[in-house]
Amino acid sequence: MDFVKDLFVLLHLVGMAAIVGGWIAVARAPKVIPPILWGARAQVLTGLILVGLLEATDETVNNAKIGVKLVVALAVAACAEIGNARQKRDEANPMLVNAAGGLALLNTAIAVLW
Ligand code: HEM
């Protein structure tokens, strides 16, 4: 079970890197690129799976921290999805891309510092 949990932590870190790295890569001309969109989707999924794995192995879960992270992650995903949909209609919105990247960075800080 430890290996499975570690595997999902790895996927969770790759998802974080995809969003933050993707955001940095497009910093000069912000737009939603696939790593940002798929990274945002992956974070919600891998995060929830991690909570399930921690509960299943009776490890303590900080519910307040997880609750805040879930709300922030849903906001990241919403910004990425709406930004992507608007881009398809030629209505690029750099603010949504910066919000997705900035909030993902905030969630990384919450994960490490809380
Ligand atoms: C943009 C969204 C997210 C980012 C950037 C993010 C980032 C991170 C990072 C960097 C870690 C590793 C921290 C460490 O090992 O010290 C982590 C761990 C964790 N995250 Fe997230 N996270 C996000 C969303 C979520 C969501 C939505 C959930 C659950 C609802 C979640 C649940 C967890 C859990 C349970 C761990 C701890 C795993 C362990 O015990 O080692 N995360 N997150």
Side-chain angles (χ1 to χ4, degrees):
M1 195 62 125
D2 264 4
F3 174 73
V4 178
K5 198 202 95 183
D6 290 346
L7 199 66
F8 276 97
V9 173
L10 175 65
L11 289 174
H12 201 60
L13 289 174
V14 171
M16 178 273 289
I19 308 171
V20 178
W23 178 46
I24 292 169
V26 298
R28 279 167 181 268
K31 65 176 187 155
V32 179
I33 53 174
I36 295 177
L37 188 60
W38 286 100
R41 292 168 177 165
Q43 285 313 83
V44 177
L45 189 66
T46 55
L48 288 173
I49 290 172
L50 274 172
V51 174
L53 289 171
L54 288 175
E55 298 273 8
T57 51
D58 285 339
E59 285 179 63
T60 44
V61 179
N62 183 340
N63 288 320
K65 174 176 168 176
I66 291 303
V68 171
K69 280 189 70 185
L70 180 59
V71 170
V72 174
L74 289 174
V76 172
C79 289
E81 295 287 357
I82 296 167
N84 187 50
R86 286 193 184 168
Q87 258 169 227
K88 284 185 184 158
R89 298 196 305 263
D90 278 336
E91 297 167 13
N93 192 335
M95 235 176 69
L96 285 170
V97 186
N98 290 330
L103 288 173
L105 197 58
L106 171 69
N107 241 5
T108 306
I110 292 171
V112 175
L113 301 175
W114 185 327

